[in-house]
Amino acid sequence: MKYQNIFKRYEFKYMLSPQQKDAVMKAMQTFMREDEYGKGLICNLYYDTPNYLLIRRSIEKPHYKEKLRLRSYGVAKSDSTVFAEIKKKYDSVVYKRRVSMSESEAMKYLSGGSPAKTNQITNEIDYFMSLYGGLSPSVYISYEREAFYVADNRGLRITFDNNILWRDDDLLLCSGAYGNSLLKPGQTLMEIKTSSGMPMWLVRTLSENKIYKTSFSKYGEAYKEIFLKSQTGGAIYA
């Protein structure tokens, strides 16, 4: 399967009730089709400094922010293809650059080793890691995603994320999807990813169903839970 490794787009997030999701899905039937990745589990390891410098800066909502993560589609095995990704946001535009390798290669690489193959993106990751120093896995986040695209416009995608789980121990992509939930029962996180604007049918659907943009960072919300746990001195897993 061929994967896209460089992205530049706007990303807008919305928290949906079951009724709102049904309305959006109904409106999409005429214009959108399921992405080739369809429904699936996405697993991520976010890298940060020991004092969570990257996410603390991010939740302050600066004009520019960046993060480093390792992603797999499904629970990884040591020989599974995973992606080391740098994600940056500047003035509402999201830039993502990533490189693929096996899970075992990626874990060694991001622990300070050398990649099996070097290119411009690994050079950027190397600079990122040297700039911040001491980066290591800080949070695991997984979610079940449904992805769709507009048939005549690959620049527009809509995704729906459910069962968003996080943990700050057992930080391996091979360990399975489990942890503490970030969503309330019945909630779905919708993301609209576009390289330009939104079609009128989508704007109308959002307006008619009172669906409004929200600020929701999965890693940011998990960090808030970690901070709360540190203040209370107890575990918060269910």
Side-chain angles (χ1 to χ4, degrees):
M1 180 180 293
K2 186 176 181 180
Y3 295 96
Q4 183 176 352
N5 289 327
I6 299 175
F7 303 79
K8 177 184 176 182
R9 62 199 182 192
Y10 296 92
E11 295 183 356
F12 306 103
K13 299 180 181 181
Y14 307 80
M15 195 63 70
L16 306 184
S17 67
Q19 295 77 18
Q20 289 172 324
K21 181 183 177 183
D22 288 344
V24 174
M25 293 287 282
K26 183 177 180 180
M28 288 168 47
Q29 289 178 358
T30 303
F31 304 98
M32 305 194 74
R33 63 181 61 174
E34 190 173 76
D35 190 273
E36 59 257 45
Y37 307 117
K39 297 180 181 179
L41 176 70
I42 297 180
C43 308
N44 305 275
L45 283 182
Y46 286 85
Y47 281 69
D48 213 327
T49 64
N51 65 348
Y52 297 96
L53 175 63
L54 291 173
I55 191 56
R56 287 191 291 107
R57 285 183 176 175
S58 179
I59 61 180
E60 292 174 355
K61 301 187 185 302
H63 287 295
Y64 173 81
K65 56 185 179 181
E66 56 189 353
K67 64 185 68 172
L68 173 66
R69 69 188 178 198
L70 186 62
R71 166 170 289 187
S72 68
Y73 293 90
V75 176
K77 298 180 181 178
S78 62
D79 60 350
S80 297
T81 297
V82 300
F83 298 87
E85 303 181 341
I86 293 180
K87 189 173 183 180
K88 305 179 181 182
K89 187 174 183 179
Y90 178 71
D91 278 351
S92 300
V93 181
V94 174
Y95 303 85
K96 186 169 73 172
R97 296 169 67 78
R98 66 184 189 177
V99 60
S100 62
M101 59 189 76
S102 72
E103 186 274 343
S104 59
E105 291 173 335
M107 292 300 290
K108 291 177 183 177
Y109 170 44
L110 296 181
S111 295
S114 298
K117 297 180 180 180
T118 60
N119 55 38
Q120 178 59 32
I121 297 176
T122 58
N123 290 340
E124 292 174 20
I125 293 174
D126 290 343
Y127 175 77
F128 187 102
M129 291 192 294
S130 66
L131 177 65
Y132 290 102
L135 295 179
S136 61
S138 58
V139 172
Y140 168 99
I141 296 178
S142 67
Y143 40 92
E144 297 163 8
R145 169 165 286 181
E146 301 170 81
F148 301 85
Y149 71 96
V150 173
D152 60 352
N153 180 5
R154 282 283 180 167
L156 175 64
R157 295 180 73 242
I158 297 180
T159 61
F160 300 92
D161 294 341
N162 292 285
N163 196 29
I164 304 176
L165 304 175
W166 72 272
R167 63 178 186 261
D168 60 349
D169 56 8
D170 194 13
L171 297 174
L172 297 168
L173 293 176
C174 300
S175 293
Y178 71 92
N180 202 59
S181 178
L182 284 180
L183 298 181
K184 297 176 181 178
Q187 283 186 324
T188 296
L189 179 65
M190 178 177 73
E191 296 187 27
I192 298 174
K193 309 164 194 286
T194 177
S195 57
S196 54
M198 296 187 201
M200 283 307 301
W201 67 263
L202 181 54
V203 174
R204 189 181 310 113
T205 299
L206 299 178
S207 177
E208 290 175 351
N209 292 279
K210 296 181 172 58
I211 299 172
Y212 307 115
K213 285 190 293 184
T214 189
S215 176
F216 187 94
S217 162
K218 298 181 183 76
Y219 183 22
E221 293 300 315
Y223 169 73
K224 292 175 185 177
E225 295 289 337
I226 293 169
F227 180 77
L228 176 62
K229 183 173 68 171
S230 72
Q231 297 301 299
T232 59
I236 61 174
Y237 289 129

